[in-house]
Amino acid sequence: MNLEEYFKRIGFHGPFDKLDLATLNSVHKQHIMSVPFENLSIHCGEKIIMDLEVIFNKIVRSNRGGWCLENNYLFGWVLREMGFDTTTLSSKVFNSISNEFGPYDSHLINKIVIDRKAYIADVSFGVSSQIRETLELVSGKDQPQAAGVFRVIDKGDMWVLEKTGRKPQVLNPELTNSSLVNRNDTKQIYSFTLVPREVDHFRDVSDKLQTDPASLFTNKSILSLQTPTGFKALVGWTYSEVTYKPEEGVDVIDMRDVTDDEIEPILREKFNLKLQNKLKPVSNKAWYTL
């Protein structure tokens, strides 16, 4: 594994020797614009393994994406190799159906300290909840980004990440009422603590998320990639291109249902993905919004 290969994969051209916020944010943004959030391995008959070398080969050398336990694990390694003061943290994702945070530490994120200020890095949540740059760990501070205004809030026993977004404007009248469309102006994304974690903390939950019949990830095949103006996503058989229009106060959602024959061309042409094994899309009823 080496940084040069990783930087080539994400299109980062330096600077390589400055351990400042601008460099951190540049690498962070290049990663989310180049590496998809995806759980397709589960739906291709592949097992996701919490092994850094396996993840490096998958994402960097095989031009794949991954979910948070892969992307953010790899990103933490990258930051440490670069010399950043980096700590692995765990978080619980908010479930908007049950209106509570999940029972498991199912999401991995990283904390970085630069000049005695702490920042949260997360290159793998996807869709409209994806931060493009790191968030300063200051409670209640509005931090505007492309997708909306993000905030981290200190609740005492935990921190909560939330986002205030814009109204959805769905172009396809047949999909106006799609369950994939988020209609909450402000939503909680996940909670986290500042307790440092080792990778072993995530091994059992990684296995559970891949096998549990109640897991979101066994019930939906999910793929998303950030773009300069928004993001694109393939969830089951629904392909969406979302354009952020902050000046109009809306997110324009161009979504359509696709056939099995269209899946492979979409993977190749829209996401630059070529899978070794055939994808079997899944879209069972489960809470998930763009």
Side-chain angles (χ1 to χ4, degrees), residues 103-140:
Y104 311 113
D105 285 345
S106 61
H107 190 59
L108 186 159
I109 58 176
N110 290 290
K111 183 188 77 171
I112 302 94
V113 176
I114 301 173
D115 295 333
R116 291 178 291 190
K117 288 184 177 181
Y119 301 87
I120 296 298
D122 183 353
V123 295
S124 196
F125 203 91
V127 293
S128 68
S129 296
Q130 179 62 58
I131 59 173
R132 303 213 161 188
E133 298 181 338
T134 58
L135 297 173
E136 189 176 357
L137 195 62
V138 175
S139 183

Side-chain angles (χ1 to χ4, degrees), residues 6-213:
Y6 169 79
F7 290 145
K8 185 177 179 182
R9 166 73 174 92
I10 67 167
F12 177 68
H13 304 294
F16 304 100
D17 55 349
K18 290 186 177 179
L19 299 179
D20 56 14
L21 182 59
T23 302
L24 171 63
N25 281 336
S26 181
V27 178
H28 192 286
K29 188 172 183 179
Q30 285 300 122
H31 187 113
I32 60 111
M33 302 292 275
S34 307
V35 181
F37 173 90
E38 50 114 327
N39 71 337
L40 303 187
S41 289
I42 297 171
H43 305 287
C44 291
E46 303 164 0
K47 183 173 174 59
I48 297 170
I49 301 171
M50 292 290 293
D51 178 282
L52 200 50
E53 204 161 319
V54 171
I55 294 168
F56 186 93
N57 285 331
K58 176 182 175 181
I59 292 176
V60 177
R61 293 182 175 143
S62 299
N63 211 50
R64 283 284 301 277
W67 62 3
C68 73
L69 299 179
E70 298 170 287
N71 270 314
N72 280 326
Y73 184 18
L74 175 65
F75 195 66
W77 172 81
V78 167
L79 296 182
R80 291 182 183 92
E81 286 290 297
M82 291 181 73
F84 284 102
D85 178 356
T86 307
T87 304
T88 301
L89 305 179
S90 62
S91 60
K92 303 177 190 295
V93 177
F94 188 74
N95 184 323
S96 57
I97 301 298
S98 62
N99 203 38
E100 60 187 358
F101 295 101
Y104 311 113
D105 285 345
S106 61
H107 190 59
L108 186 159
I109 58 176
N110 290 290
K111 183 188 77 171
I112 302 94
V113 176
I114 301 173
D115 295 333
R116 291 178 291 190
K117 288 184 177 181
Y119 301 87
I120 296 298
D122 183 353
V123 295
S124 196
F125 203 91
V127 293
S128 68
S129 296
Q130 179 62 58
I131 59 173
R132 303 213 161 188
E133 298 181 338
T134 58
L135 297 173
E136 189 176 357
L137 195 62
V138 175
S139 183
K141 178 182 178 181
D142 283 359
Q143 303 190 53
Q145 295 197 10
V149 179
F150 291 89
R151 289 171 218 91
V152 287
I153 300 170
D154 186 356
K155 299 281 190 177
D157 58 337
M158 64 180 179
W159 288 75
V160 172
L161 171 63
E162 68 173 31
K163 188 200 88 170
T164 299
R166 296 172 287 270
K167 295 188 183 304
Q169 181 181 320
V170 182
L171 298 182
N172 186 342
E174 295 178 7
L175 294 173
T176 300
N177 296 317
S178 169
S179 62
L180 288 173
V181 179
N182 173 59
R183 294 175 175 82
N184 296 325
D185 288 342
T186 297
K187 65 175 182 178
Q188 297 181 94
I189 300 174
Y190 52 74
S191 65
F192 61 95
T193 70
L194 302 182
V195 178
R197 302 294 190 191
E198 298 296 330
V199 67
D200 287 348
H201 182 78
F202 301 95
R203 293 193 193 279
D204 286 346
V205 76
S206 174
D207 291 340
K208 186 177 181 66
L209 291 173
Q210 295 178 66
T211 56
D212 186 349

